[in-house]
Each structure stands twice: as C-alpha cells, then as structure tokens.
Amino acid sequence: MIDLLAQNLAPLMFVALIAFLLLGYPVAFALAANGLLFFVIAVELSPYSNEISLSWPLLMTMPGRILDVMRNDTLLAIPFFTFMGIVLEKSGMAEDLLDTIGQLFGPVRGGLAFAVVLVGALLAATTGVVAASVMAMGLISLPIMLRYGYDRSLAAGVIAASGTLAQIIPPSLVLIVLADQLGRSVGDLYSGALIPGLLLTAVYCAYIAILAIVKPASVPALPIAARRLSGSPLPLLGLALAALVIAGGSYLVLASWVEEGAGIWAATLAVIFAYGFAAADGRLGTNLLSVLARQVVFVLIPPLALIFLVLGTIFLGIATPTEGGAMGATGALVLALARRRFGVRQLSDALEGTARLSCFVIFVLIGSRIFSLTFYGINGHLWVEHLFLGLPGGAAGFLVAVNLLVFILGCFVDFFEIAFIVVPLLAPVAAKLGIDLVWFGVILGMNLQTSFLTPPFGFALFYMRSVAPAEPFLDKASGRMLAGVSTGQIYRGAVSFILLQIIMIGIVVAFPALAIPTKAPEVDPATIDIQIPESSPGGGGETDGVPPPPSFD
C-alpha cells in the first residue's frame, strides 16, 4: 500500500491542489501549502520509492528560488502596463473614444456595436487590462445601446467580449506571464499575437455586420437627433488617403536607410501629418475637415501615439518590453495630465491598483516555486509528459487535449493560476513534440481569453454584471424607464462570442504562420567559408587586392 502511494504521489498532489482551489483557498497559499505538505510526505516515503528525489536539505534552496523571482526583469513589465492602463482609464480616454467613434459609425446599423469593438481593440493596445476596458465601456456604452433599442444580450456580450481583447492584443499581461513561463521573449509573443488579435477584432465586426443584415432590429442605427457632431465623415477618407500616400512614400525612402522597422517609421510620419493637418485646419479656420472628422483625428491620434511608444519601440528593437512598459506608463501620465482630468486621488487609486495586482502575481509565483520544487522532486513532470505523449494523434492530439483542458479549467480557475501551474508542465511536452513555443503561447493566450467569458466564473461577465443595471432604471437623456439587463442575458450574450473565439483558435492552429513571427534566416557556422588571399610570388609584394602592412622604419 505504501509502495502504491509513493509511486502515485504526483497525480495525488495535482488532485489535492485542484481540491484546495475549488474549496476557495487563495491560490498563492494553496500552492505553497500543497507543496510543503507533499514535500513532508515525499521525504517520509522516499525509502519506498526510487522515483522520489527529495530530502530535507533541499528546503534550504527555497530562498534562492524566491530570489530568482525577484530578479526576473521581465516581470517588471506587469506593474508598468497595469499602471498605464489604470491611468488611462481614470483620465477618461475611453469616454472620448466611445463617444467619438460612436458618432462616426452612428448612421450605420450596428454602429454603436462597431464602435465598442474598435474602442475595445484600441483600449487593449493601450491598457492591456480587461477590468478597465469592460467597466469603462459598460458604464458609457450600455445605457446608450439600451436607450436606442439594441438587443440586451448582444449589447452585454459585445461589451464583455471586446474588453477581453486586452488578453490577446499586445501589451497583454497574459502574454508577459506566458512568455516568462515558456522561456520565450515577450517581444516574440507580442509579435506572434498581433495578427491573431487583429483578426479576432475583424471577426467580431463581421459577426455584427451579419446581424445588421439578418436581424436589423437588434442593432439599430443612431437616430439623427442623437448625432451631435456635425459634418460628413468623407473628408476623413481624403485625409486617410493623403496619410497613406505619405506613408508609402516615406517607406520607399526609409527602406534603403533602415534595416528594420521602416514601415513603423513611415506610419509614424503619416500619423504626425494627419494630426498636424487637423490642428492647422481648426486653428486657421479653413474648415477643409468637418467637425466630426477633426474630432476623430484629435481623439484617435493620442492613443495611437502611445501604442507606437510601447509596441513600436519593442518591435523595432529600441526598447525591451520592460522599458517599453516604463515609457508607456510615463506617456500615459503625460496624456492624463494634458487632459486635465487626473489629480492626486486618481494617482493614488492607480498606484494602489498596481500594487495589488503586482503583489498578487509575485505571491502566486512564490507559491508556484514551492509547488514545483516538490512536484519535480517526485517526478511529476515525467508523469505529465507520459500522460500527454501517450495521446493518439501526436502533436495534433496534444493541441486538442491541451485546448480542451485549458478551456474547462478556464470555467473555474483564474488565468494567472492556469499560467503559473499548468503551462510550466505543458511546455516541455510541447517542445518534445516539435511545437513552436511562440505559436503554442499564442494559442494558449487566445484560449485563456475565453476564460473571461465562460460561465459561471468568467471575470468579464462579473465586471459586466457590476456595471449593468439589473432593475428597471430611469434614462436621464430620454426621460423613459428602461428595463434592466438580467444575468441570464449577459451569459447568453457571451455564448456567441465564445464560439467566435473557438473558431479563431482553430484558425490559428490550422495556420501556424499567423502566429509565428518571421525572423532572419539562421546561419550555420559550419557552412561559413573564410578565404584568405594568398601572397604574391616572391613575397614582400602586395597580396591580391590587399595592401602590404605599413612600414615603421
């Protein structure tokens, strides 16, 4: 009996951890307590099993393992990006974006839903924080969508789903953690996740466009009386075309000077031109742009500039993700102060929120180090490896099983817990099967994104519930009593977007090139042939094409 127990400690330890989590214990303390408890059991059972390689002196290595967490520079990006997101949320940037983009798309059926998706993508690229995106859009857009007759389930679902784009579009906190656990650079994971994230945004927009054709009553256009910004958006198309011409010309010029990033620099020059043109048009009173077009430019350019400051510098190799996060936090502070909506109270709230999340991540990491010491000491990693390598279908079977496992765990467990507990066990198996770990990380990131929408514990659903009125409420703008949004409607609205995310995961699995960043071809040192010119006959003369060494006589 003791032999059987000693040989099956790994699965018992994993089951015990799941039990601790389901009982509601904090994940950091559940990991640490589980690790210490099974460490004691394993040491006592070590004489009965050759698979256990734990002894009491190994506990003395724990301070060093914890210090390794503290020395990890990559994790510094988490507080920087968190602070940046909270500062932008407190400064009211989301309000201006939703109001302006809503006015731009207002005449179109589903225009408010299109605005929510596009603003969700912009907030994802500037904040990277799901809670800030969902709550800001829920507070601002939901009452307007209900006022003008949007389907309640769709309105709640599109807001919650658009907020979760912050999980896959860089600079996502999930991608930072996954890069650390997979042993890959954050920049590679950011590059790999960019196209899938933008494609997912396009899929959301396509779904709304289909609804506008099939069920137009569920996504009505904004009434004429509600369109406050005057003028046609057509001048905006002319400005966009001019900016594209400048971007193309700049790229042709810069491509011969700059080895990498010519496209990013060209886009930066085009954006500067657009902003300068709109500012000059308003200041000089030429009115070449309508009020709506100018407002769109003024509202869109600052977040786009911040996106370049963070992602552009990372992709160009100018800054590391940690340095990019620091510049993003500084840029967010500058934008917030320039808007004059940011004071001492907002700064205090931002610092407190950043400290809370950072402490949570660090404590979970410390707990996971204690857990992994014991789990690896009882050969738990080999148990996991044999379990997944024995699946039929090879790499394809492994990907299907892992995605099902992560999807099911996401219904009950927080994404940080999955990233710190499950991913380190899966990464070695994926590497043995020849799976590119950047591609694998992007797939996991998209799967973890669905965990924010999956009932019963999807965090985006909780955030939506906290800001959506459950009871009938008085709409101050129209003076009418409007029905509230039930929890069932929020859950039903999320189902369609969960299916869209699953389809997108399947596309990324089927087409790995979407998520594997292109790199310069690697050169095998063994194939390098270095030829040294021979000396000319007679010696002392010049070698072929090489001048003789200088004389110092």
Side-chain angles (χ1 to χ4, degrees):
M1 182 64 182
I2 294 179
D3 292 344
L4 183 64
L5 181 64
Q7 292 171 4
N8 291 278
L9 269 184
L12 288 174
M13 185 177 180
F14 194 77
V15 169
L17 176 63
I18 299 299
F20 273 122
L21 295 176
L22 292 179
L23 287 172
Y25 287 99
V27 59
F29 302 115
L31 283 167
N34 201 47
L36 291 174
L37 173 64
F38 276 85
F39 186 94
V40 174
I41 296 173
V43 170
E44 295 300 323
L45 293 178
S46 57
Y48 303 96
S49 174
N50 294 327
E51 296 182 359
I52 299 175
S53 56
L54 294 175
S55 59
W56 293 115
L58 276 177
L59 279 179
M60 298 175 64
T61 65
M62 276 314 305
R65 293 170 67 86
I66 293 173
L67 284 174
D68 287 341
V69 174
M70 305 301 179
R71 295 191 191 104
N72 192 339
D73 292 339
T74 302
L75 297 177
L76 274 175
I78 292 177
F80 287 142
F81 285 126
T82 304
F83 181 75
M84 180 179 75
I86 298 175
V87 166
L88 290 175
E89 185 249 331
K90 298 289 182 185
S91 69
M93 186 187 74
E95 300 175 21
D96 290 346
L97 280 170
L98 284 167
D99 182 52
T100 305
I101 305 301
Q103 292 288 316
L104 178 64
F105 288 96
V108 183
R109 288 191 181 277
L112 290 175
F114 284 125
V116 166
V117 173
L118 295 176
V119 171
L122 277 173
L123 292 178
T126 50
T127 65
V129 181
V130 173
S133 300
V134 173
M135 296 181 75
M137 293 192 295
L139 287 169
I140 300 161
S141 293
L142 185 63
I144 302 174
M145 298 174 85
L146 298 182
R147 181 187 309 153
Y148 297 117
Y150 268 71
D151 179 82
R152 280 166 166 70
S153 294
L154 174 65
V158 73
I159 291 173
S162 300
T164 63
L165 290 172
Q167 292 297 96
I168 191 62
I169 294 179
S172 162
L173 299 183
V174 172
L175 296 178
I176 295 173
V177 175
L178 286 175
D180 179 65
Q181 297 300 309
L182 292 171
R184 292 295 180 268
S185 75
V186 178
D188 282 349
L189 229 61
Y190 277 2
S191 299
L194 188 60
I195 293 177
L198 295 177
L199 280 178
L200 183 60
T201 305
V203 167
Y204 285 174
C205 290
Y207 172 67
I208 295 167
I210 292 171
L211 280 181
I213 298 171
V214 178
K215 297 175 64 178
S218 63
V219 285
L222 202 62
I224 296 177
R227 302 172 197 170
R228 294 179 292 97
L229 295 177
S230 61
S232 169
L234 291 179
L236 195 62
L237 294 177
L239 182 61
L241 287 174
L244 283 174
V245 171
I246 288 177
S250 302
Y251 178 78
L252 293 176
V253 173
L254 292 171
S256 58
W257 292 358
V258 183
E259 291 185 5
E260 293 183 4
I264 296 177
W265 286 115
T268 304
L269 292 175
V271 167
I272 292 173
F273 161 77
Y275 192 83
F277 184 87
D281 182 60
R283 181 64 61 90
L284 299 175
T286 53
N287 294 325
L288 296 174
L289 297 177
S290 63
V291 175
L292 174 61
R294 277 200 302 270
Q295 182 67 12
V296 169
V297 173
F298 290 147
V299 168
L300 278 181
I301 295 300
L304 289 175
L306 190 62
I307 291 170
F308 169 75
L309 185 66
V310 177
L311 298 181
T313 54
I314 294 173
F315 292 155
L316 287 172
I318 298 172
T320 65
T322 303
E323 293 164 347
M327 289 191 294
T330 305
L333 269 178
V334 172
L335 287 180
L337 293 173
R339 299 170 69 85
R340 299 180 182 177
R341 299 185 190 176
F342 196 75
V344 176
R345 181 178 177 183
Q346 288 80 7
L347 178 62
S348 175
D349 290 344
L351 291 172
E352 182 181 350
T354 303
R356 284 179 182 274
L357 183 63
S358 302
C359 290
F360 170 75
V361 172
I362 291 299
F363 270 93
V364 171
L365 264 175
I366 292 172
S368 67
R369 286 297 178 123
I370 299 172
F371 177 86
S372 64
L373 174 67
T374 303
F375 197 72
Y376 279 75
I378 59 177
N379 286 331
H381 59 298
L382 297 179
W383 168 68
V384 172
E385 189 175 302
H386 293 323
L387 187 66
F388 282 100
L389 288 178
L391 291 172
F398 170 77
L399 287 174
V400 171
V402 165
N403 277 292
L404 285 174
L405 173 65
V406 172
F407 182 82
I408 293 170
L409 287 176
C411 296
F412 308 99
V413 184
D414 181 37
F415 74 94
F416 273 126
E417 299 164 16
I418 296 174
F420 287 133
I421 300 171
V422 179
V423 173
L425 301 176
L426 300 177
V429 185
K432 277 200 170 185
L433 290 170
I435 296 173
D436 186 280
L437 290 184
V438 173
W439 176 47
F440 185 58
V442 173
I443 294 171
L444 290 179
M446 299 195 74
N447 203 328
L448 290 173
Q449 182 190 359
T450 64
S451 70
F452 274 79
L453 290 175
T454 46
F457 299 119
F459 281 93
L461 305 179
F462 290 160
Y463 301 144
M464 194 68 230
R465 176 71 282 168
S466 69
V467 297
E471 304 293 332
F473 66 100
L474 176 65
D475 180 40
K476 295 180 181 179
S478 64
R480 295 183 293 121
M481 289 295 295
L482 299 178
V485 181
S486 68
T487 302
Q489 287 173 327
I490 294 175
Y491 282 8
R492 282 196 298 274
V495 171
S496 301
F497 292 93
I498 292 172
L499 294 176
L500 292 176
Q501 290 181 354
I502 292 173
I503 291 171
M504 194 62 216
I505 292 172
I507 292 173
V508 175
V509 171
F511 302 98
L514 291 173
I516 299 177
T518 56
K519 296 182 179 179
E522 295 184 0
V523 178
D524 184 2
T527 63
I528 299 175
D529 183 20
I530 302 176
Q531 295 183 354
I532 302 176
E534 297 180 358
S535 300
S536 59
E542 290 188 357
T543 57
D544 295 340
V546 181
S551 175
F552 296 97
D553 294 339

PDB file of all heavy atoms in Angstrom, residues 36-61:
ATOM      1  N   LEU A  36       4.476  22.231   0.445  1.00  0.00           N
ATOM      2  CA  LEU A  36       5.131  21.867   1.713  1.00  0.00           C
ATOM      3  C   LEU A  36       4.558  20.571   2.290  1.00  0.00           C
ATOM      4  O   LEU A  36       5.303  19.724   2.811  1.00  0.00           O
ATOM      5  CB  LEU A  36       4.974  23.007   2.723  1.00  0.00           C
ATOM      6  CG  LEU A  36       5.764  24.290   2.410  1.00  0.00           C
ATOM      7  CD1 LEU A  36       5.415  25.391   3.395  1.00  0.00           C
ATOM      8  CD2 LEU A  36       7.265  24.013   2.436  1.00  0.00           C
ATOM      9  N   LEU A  37       3.221  20.406   2.214  1.00  0.00           N
ATOM     10  CA  LEU A  37       2.598  19.198   2.745  1.00  0.00           C
ATOM     11  C   LEU A  37       3.124  17.958   2.030  1.00  0.00           C
ATOM     12  O   LEU A  37       3.540  16.970   2.676  1.00  0.00           O
ATOM     13  CB  LEU A  37       1.075  19.305   2.598  1.00  0.00           C
ATOM     14  CG  LEU A  37       0.273  18.049   2.950  1.00  0.00           C
ATOM     15  CD1 LEU A  37       0.437  17.706   4.434  1.00  0.00           C
ATOM     16  CD2 LEU A  37      -1.214  18.239   2.623  1.00  0.00           C
ATOM     17  N   PHE A  38       3.142  17.993   0.696  1.00  0.00           N
ATOM     18  CA  PHE A  38       3.596  16.811  -0.048  1.00  0.00           C
ATOM     19  C   PHE A  38       5.115  16.668   0.002  1.00  0.00           C
ATOM     20  O   PHE A  38       5.635  15.577  -0.240  1.00  0.00           O
ATOM     21  CB  PHE A  38       3.089  16.872  -1.488  1.00  0.00           C
ATOM     22  CG  PHE A  38       1.694  16.339  -1.637  1.00  0.00           C
ATOM     23  CD1 PHE A  38       0.600  17.157  -1.411  1.00  0.00           C
ATOM     24  CD2 PHE A  38       1.473  15.012  -1.959  1.00  0.00           C
ATOM     25  CE1 PHE A  38      -0.694  16.669  -1.537  1.00  0.00           C
ATOM     26  CE2 PHE A  38       0.186  14.512  -2.087  1.00  0.00           C
ATOM     27  CZ  PHE A  38      -0.908  15.342  -1.872  1.00  0.00           C
ATOM     28  N   PHE A  39       5.839  17.750   0.292  1.00  0.00           N
ATOM     29  CA  PHE A  39       7.274  17.622   0.493  1.00  0.00           C
ATOM     30  C   PHE A  39       7.541  16.736   1.720  1.00  0.00           C
ATOM     31  O   PHE A  39       8.385  15.815   1.672  1.00  0.00           O
ATOM     32  CB  PHE A  39       7.900  19.003   0.694  1.00  0.00           C
ATOM     33  CG  PHE A  39       9.401  18.993   0.760  1.00  0.00           C
ATOM     34  CD1 PHE A  39      10.160  19.214  -0.371  1.00  0.00           C
ATOM     35  CD2 PHE A  39      10.066  18.740   1.961  1.00  0.00           C
ATOM     36  CE1 PHE A  39      11.549  19.191  -0.318  1.00  0.00           C
ATOM     37  CE2 PHE A  39      11.451  18.712   2.031  1.00  0.00           C
ATOM     38  CZ  PHE A  39      12.188  18.938   0.883  1.00  0.00           C
ATOM     39  N   VAL A  40       6.824  17.007   2.792  1.00  0.00           N
ATOM     40  CA  VAL A  40       6.985  16.201   4.014  1.00  0.00           C
ATOM     41  C   VAL A  40       6.610  14.743   3.737  1.00  0.00           C
ATOM     42  O   VAL A  40       7.334  13.807   4.124  1.00  0.00           O
ATOM     43  CB  VAL A  40       6.112  16.778   5.155  1.00  0.00           C
ATOM     44  CG1 VAL A  40       6.157  15.860   6.378  1.00  0.00           C
ATOM     45  CG2 VAL A  40       6.578  18.178   5.520  1.00  0.00           C
ATOM     46  N   ILE A  41       5.476  14.539   3.056  1.00  0.00           N
ATOM     47  CA  ILE A  41       5.038  13.168   2.753  1.00  0.00           C
ATOM     48  C   ILE A  41       6.059  12.458   1.868  1.00  0.00           C
ATOM     49  O   ILE A  41       6.402  11.286   2.095  1.00  0.00           O
ATOM     50  CB  ILE A  41       3.656  13.209   2.065  1.00  0.00           C
ATOM     51  CG1 ILE A  41       2.600  13.769   3.013  1.00  0.00           C
ATOM     52  CG2 ILE A  41       3.266  11.819   1.577  1.00  0.00           C
ATOM     53  CD1 ILE A  41       1.245  13.995   2.360  1.00  0.00           C
ATOM     54  N   ALA A  42       6.579  13.185   0.857  1.00  0.00           N
ATOM     55  CA  ALA A  42       7.530  12.568  -0.074  1.00  0.00           C
ATOM     56  C   ALA A  42       8.830  12.186   0.616  1.00  0.00           C
ATOM     57  O   ALA A  42       9.392  11.115   0.342  1.00  0.00           O
ATOM     58  CB  ALA A  42       7.803  13.527  -1.235  1.00  0.00           C
ATOM     59  N   VAL A  43       9.324  13.040   1.511  1.00  0.00           N
ATOM     60  CA  VAL A  43      10.568  12.718   2.223  1.00  0.00           C
ATOM     61  C   VAL A  43      10.385  11.470   3.082  1.00  0.00           C
ATOM     62  O   VAL A  43      11.270  10.594   3.147  1.00  0.00           O
ATOM     63  CB  VAL A  43      11.017  13.923   3.071  1.00  0.00           C
ATOM     64  CG1 VAL A  43      12.162  13.516   4.004  1.00  0.00           C
ATOM     65  CG2 VAL A  43      11.464  15.069   2.176  1.00  0.00           C
ATOM     66  N   GLU A  44       9.228  11.360   3.728  1.00  0.00           N
ATOM     67  CA  GLU A  44       8.971  10.187   4.568  1.00  0.00           C
ATOM     68  C   GLU A  44       8.808   8.912   3.736  1.00  0.00           C
ATOM     69  O   GLU A  44       9.120   7.818   4.211  1.00  0.00           O
ATOM     70  CB  GLU A  44       7.710  10.424   5.410  1.00  0.00           C
ATOM     71  CG  GLU A  44       7.840  11.546   6.428  1.00  0.00           C
ATOM     72  CD  GLU A  44       8.947  11.282   7.431  1.00  0.00           C
ATOM     73  OE1 GLU A  44       9.143  10.103   7.824  1.00  0.00           O
ATOM     74  OE2 GLU A  44       9.640  12.250   7.820  1.00  0.00           O
ATOM     75  N   LEU A  45       8.304   9.072   2.486  1.00  0.00           N
ATOM     76  CA  LEU A  45       8.089   7.888   1.644  1.00  0.00           C
ATOM     77  C   LEU A  45       9.264   7.596   0.717  1.00  0.00           C
ATOM     78  O   LEU A  45       9.240   6.603  -0.013  1.00  0.00           O
ATOM     79  CB  LEU A  45       6.833   8.091   0.789  1.00  0.00           C
ATOM     80  CG  LEU A  45       5.490   8.136   1.524  1.00  0.00           C
ATOM     81  CD1 LEU A  45       4.359   8.380   0.535  1.00  0.00           C
ATOM     82  CD2 LEU A  45       5.235   6.833   2.295  1.00  0.00           C
ATOM     83  N   SER A  46      10.297   8.449   0.737  1.00  0.00           N
ATOM     84  CA  SER A  46      11.421   8.274  -0.184  1.00  0.00           C
ATOM     85  C   SER A  46      12.118   6.917  -0.054  1.00  0.00           C
ATOM     86  O   SER A  46      12.596   6.387  -1.062  1.00  0.00           O
ATOM     87  CB  SER A  46      12.430   9.411  -0.010  1.00  0.00           C
ATOM     88  OG  SER A  46      12.887   9.480   1.315  1.00  0.00           O
ATOM     89  N   PRO A  47      12.199   6.296   1.153  1.00  0.00           N
ATOM     90  CA  PRO A  47      12.840   4.966   1.209  1.00  0.00           C
ATOM     91  C   PRO A  47      12.083   3.894   0.449  1.00  0.00           C
ATOM     92  O   PRO A  47      12.642   2.848   0.117  1.00  0.00           O
ATOM     93  CB  PRO A  47      12.865   4.647   2.713  1.00  0.00           C
ATOM     94  CG  PRO A  47      12.773   5.974   3.390  1.00  0.00           C
ATOM     95  CD  PRO A  47      11.904   6.799   2.513  1.00  0.00           C
ATOM     96  N   TYR A  48      10.800   4.144   0.135  1.00  0.00           N
ATOM     97  CA  TYR A  48       9.970   3.124  -0.506  1.00  0.00           C
ATOM     98  C   TYR A  48       9.865   3.310  -2.026  1.00  0.00           C
ATOM     99  O   TYR A  48       9.198   2.527  -2.692  1.00  0.00           O
ATOM    100  CB  TYR A  48       8.554   3.136   0.094  1.00  0.00           C
ATOM    101  CG  TYR A  48       8.532   2.928   1.580  1.00  0.00           C
ATOM    102  CD1 TYR A  48       8.467   4.016   2.446  1.00  0.00           C
ATOM    103  CD2 TYR A  48       8.594   1.640   2.123  1.00  0.00           C
ATOM    104  CE1 TYR A  48       8.447   3.835   3.820  1.00  0.00           C
ATOM    105  CE2 TYR A  48       8.585   1.451   3.498  1.00  0.00           C
ATOM    106  CZ  TYR A  48       8.512   2.554   4.342  1.00  0.00           C
ATOM    107  OH  TYR A  48       8.501   2.376   5.692  1.00  0.00           O
ATOM    108  N   SER A  49      10.478   4.357  -2.560  1.00  0.00           N
ATOM    109  CA  SER A  49      10.363   4.591  -3.998  1.00  0.00           C
ATOM    110  C   SER A  49      11.634   5.230  -4.527  1.00  0.00           C
ATOM    111  O   SER A  49      12.137   6.211  -3.951  1.00  0.00           O
ATOM    112  CB  SER A  49       9.162   5.507  -4.283  1.00  0.00           C
ATOM    113  OG  SER A  49       9.110   5.851  -5.649  1.00  0.00           O
ATOM    114  N   ASN A  50      12.136   4.709  -5.643  1.00  0.00           N
ATOM    115  CA  ASN A  50      13.316   5.286  -6.286  1.00  0.00           C
ATOM    116  C   ASN A  50      12.984   6.534  -7.099  1.00  0.00           C
ATOM    117  O   ASN A  50      13.886   7.234  -7.555  1.00  0.00           O
ATOM    118  CB  ASN A  50      13.969   4.237  -7.198  1.00  0.00           C
ATOM    119  CG  ASN A  50      14.539   3.076  -6.404  1.00  0.00           C
ATOM    120  OD1 ASN A  50      15.009   3.256  -5.272  1.00  0.00           O
ATOM    121  ND2 ASN A  50      14.507   1.888  -6.992  1.00  0.00           N
ATOM    122  N   GLU A  51      11.661   6.799  -7.313  1.00  0.00           N
ATOM    123  CA  GLU A  51      11.252   7.938  -8.120  1.00  0.00           C
ATOM    124  C   GLU A  51      11.246   9.242  -7.323  1.00  0.00           C
ATOM    125  O   GLU A  51      11.091  10.315  -7.899  1.00  0.00           O
ATOM    126  CB  GLU A  51       9.851   7.692  -8.696  1.00  0.00           C
ATOM    127  CG  GLU A  51       9.797   6.516  -9.660  1.00  0.00           C
ATOM    128  CD  GLU A  51       8.411   6.325 -10.251  1.00  0.00           C
ATOM    129  OE1 GLU A  51       7.507   7.108  -9.880  1.00  0.00           O
ATOM    130  OE2 GLU A  51       8.235   5.421 -11.063  1.00  0.00           O
ATOM    131  N   ILE A  52      11.386   9.165  -6.022  1.00  0.00           N
ATOM    132  CA  ILE A  52      11.368  10.361  -5.171  1.00  0.00           C
ATOM    133  C   ILE A  52      12.794  10.799  -4.906  1.00  0.00           C
ATOM    134  O   ILE A  52      13.599  10.033  -4.375  1.00  0.00           O
ATOM    135  CB  ILE A  52      10.628  10.092  -3.844  1.00  0.00           C
ATOM    136  CG1 ILE A  52       9.169   9.712  -4.123  1.00  0.00           C
ATOM    137  CG2 ILE A  52      10.690  11.317  -2.942  1.00  0.00           C
ATOM    138  CD1 ILE A  52       8.378   9.321  -2.890  1.00  0.00           C
ATOM    139  N   SER A  53      13.123  12.033  -5.263  1.00  0.00           N
ATOM    140  CA  SER A  53      14.490  12.543  -5.084  1.00  0.00           C
ATOM    141  C   SER A  53      14.490  13.775  -4.177  1.00  0.00           C
ATOM    142  O   SER A  53      15.147  14.765  -4.456  1.00  0.00           O
ATOM    143  CB  SER A  53      15.099  12.892  -6.450  1.00  0.00           C
ATOM    144  OG  SER A  53      14.279  13.823  -7.133  1.00  0.00           O
ATOM    145  N   LEU A  54      13.717  13.714  -3.092  1.00  0.00           N
ATOM    146  CA  LEU A  54      13.613  14.835  -2.158  1.00  0.00           C
ATOM    147  C   LEU A  54      14.253  14.475  -0.823  1.00  0.00           C
ATOM    148  O   LEU A  54      14.211  13.321  -0.385  1.00  0.00           O
ATOM    149  CB  LEU A  54      12.143  15.216  -1.928  1.00  0.00           C
ATOM    150  CG  LEU A  54      11.380  15.796  -3.128  1.00  0.00           C
ATOM    151  CD1 LEU A  54       9.922  16.014  -2.771  1.00  0.00           C
ATOM    152  CD2 LEU A  54      12.008  17.110  -3.584  1.00  0.00           C
ATOM    153  N   SER A  55      14.863  15.467  -0.221  1.00  0.00           N
ATOM    154  CA  SER A  55      15.440  15.302   1.120  1.00  0.00           C
ATOM    155  C   SER A  55      15.337  16.639   1.846  1.00  0.00           C
ATOM    156  O   SER A  55      15.155  17.687   1.225  1.00  0.00           O
ATOM    157  CB  SER A  55      16.904  14.845   1.033  1.00  0.00           C
ATOM    158  OG  SER A  55      17.665  15.803   0.313  1.00  0.00           O
ATOM    159  N   TRP A  56      15.474  16.612   3.148  1.00  0.00           N
ATOM    160  CA  TRP A  56      15.282  17.835   3.940  1.00  0.00           C
ATOM    161  C   TRP A  56      16.232  18.969   3.544  1.00  0.00           C
ATOM    162  O   TRP A  56      15.818  20.137   3.520  1.00  0.00           O
ATOM    163  CB  TRP A  56      15.435  17.520   5.431  1.00  0.00           C
ATOM    164  CG  TRP A  56      14.353  16.627   5.980  1.00  0.00           C
ATOM    165  CD1 TRP A  56      14.495  15.360   6.469  1.00  0.00           C
ATOM    166  CD2 TRP A  56      12.959  16.939   6.070  1.00  0.00           C
ATOM    167  NE1 TRP A  56      13.282  14.843   6.859  1.00  0.00           N
ATOM    168  CE2 TRP A  56      12.316  15.802   6.628  1.00  0.00           C
ATOM    169  CE3 TRP A  56      12.187  18.042   5.710  1.00  0.00           C
ATOM    170  CZ2 TRP A  56      10.947  15.767   6.851  1.00  0.00           C
ATOM    171  CZ3 TRP A  56      10.821  18.001   5.948  1.00  0.00           C
ATOM    172  CH2 TRP A  56      10.218  16.889   6.505  1.00  0.00           C
ATOM    173  N   PRO A  57      17.492  18.701   3.219  1.00  0.00           N
ATOM    174  CA  PRO A  57      18.377  19.827   2.839  1.00  0.00           C
ATOM    175  C   PRO A  57      17.903  20.621   1.622  1.00  0.00           C
ATOM    176  O   PRO A  57      18.287  21.776   1.447  1.00  0.00           O
ATOM    177  CB  PRO A  57      19.723  19.132   2.552  1.00  0.00           C
ATOM    178  CG  PRO A  57      19.682  17.883   3.379  1.00  0.00           C
ATOM    179  CD  PRO A  57      18.258  17.437   3.331  1.00  0.00           C
ATOM    180  N   LEU A  58      17.040  20.017   0.769  1.00  0.00           N
ATOM    181  CA  LEU A  58      16.565  20.733  -0.407  1.00  0.00           C
ATOM    182  C   LEU A  58      15.727  21.960  -0.043  1.00  0.00           C
ATOM    183  O   LEU A  58      15.608  22.895  -0.840  1.00  0.00           O
ATOM    184  CB  LEU A  58      15.741  19.799  -1.297  1.00  0.00           C
ATOM    185  CG  LEU A  58      16.522  18.908  -2.273  1.00  0.00           C
ATOM    186  CD1 LEU A  58      15.583  17.990  -3.017  1.00  0.00           C
ATOM    187  CD2 LEU A  58      17.307  19.771  -3.242  1.00  0.00           C
ATOM    188  N   LEU A  59      15.142  21.941   1.156  1.00  0.00           N
ATOM    189  CA  LEU A  59      14.365  23.109   1.575  1.00  0.00           C
ATOM    190  C   LEU A  59      15.233  24.363   1.685  1.00  0.00           C
ATOM    191  O   LEU A  59      14.736  25.483   1.598  1.00  0.00           O
ATOM    192  CB  LEU A  59      13.678  22.844   2.919  1.00  0.00           C
ATOM    193  CG  LEU A  59      12.370  22.041   2.885  1.00  0.00           C
ATOM    194  CD1 LEU A  59      11.839  21.850   4.290  1.00  0.00           C
ATOM    195  CD2 LEU A  59      11.330  22.756   2.024  1.00  0.00           C
ATOM    196  N   MET A  60      16.528  24.146   1.880  1.00  0.00           N
ATOM    197  CA  MET A  60      17.432  25.298   2.002  1.00  0.00           C
ATOM    198  C   MET A  60      17.617  26.029   0.678  1.00  0.00           C
ATOM    199  O   MET A  60      18.133  27.148   0.639  1.00  0.00           O
ATOM    200  CB  MET A  60      18.787  24.820   2.533  1.00  0.00           C
ATOM    201  CG  MET A  60      18.711  24.206   3.935  1.00  0.00           C
ATOM    202  SD  MET A  60      20.282  23.511   4.476  1.00  0.00           S
ATOM    203  CE  MET A  60      21.292  24.980   4.558  1.00  0.00           C
ATOM    204  N   THR A  61      17.180  25.414  -0.427  1.00  0.00           N
ATOM    205  CA  THR A  61      17.287  26.087  -1.727  1.00  0.00           C
ATOM    206  C   THR A  61      16.133  27.051  -1.981  1.00  0.00           C
ATOM    207  O   THR A  61      16.177  27.819  -2.945  1.00  0.00           O
ATOM    208  CB  THR A  61      17.317  25.051  -2.868  1.00  0.00           C
ATOM    209  OG1 THR A  61      16.054  24.352  -2.910  1.00  0.00           O
ATOM    210  CG2 THR A  61      18.437  24.041  -2.661  1.00  0.00           C
TER     211      THR A  61
END
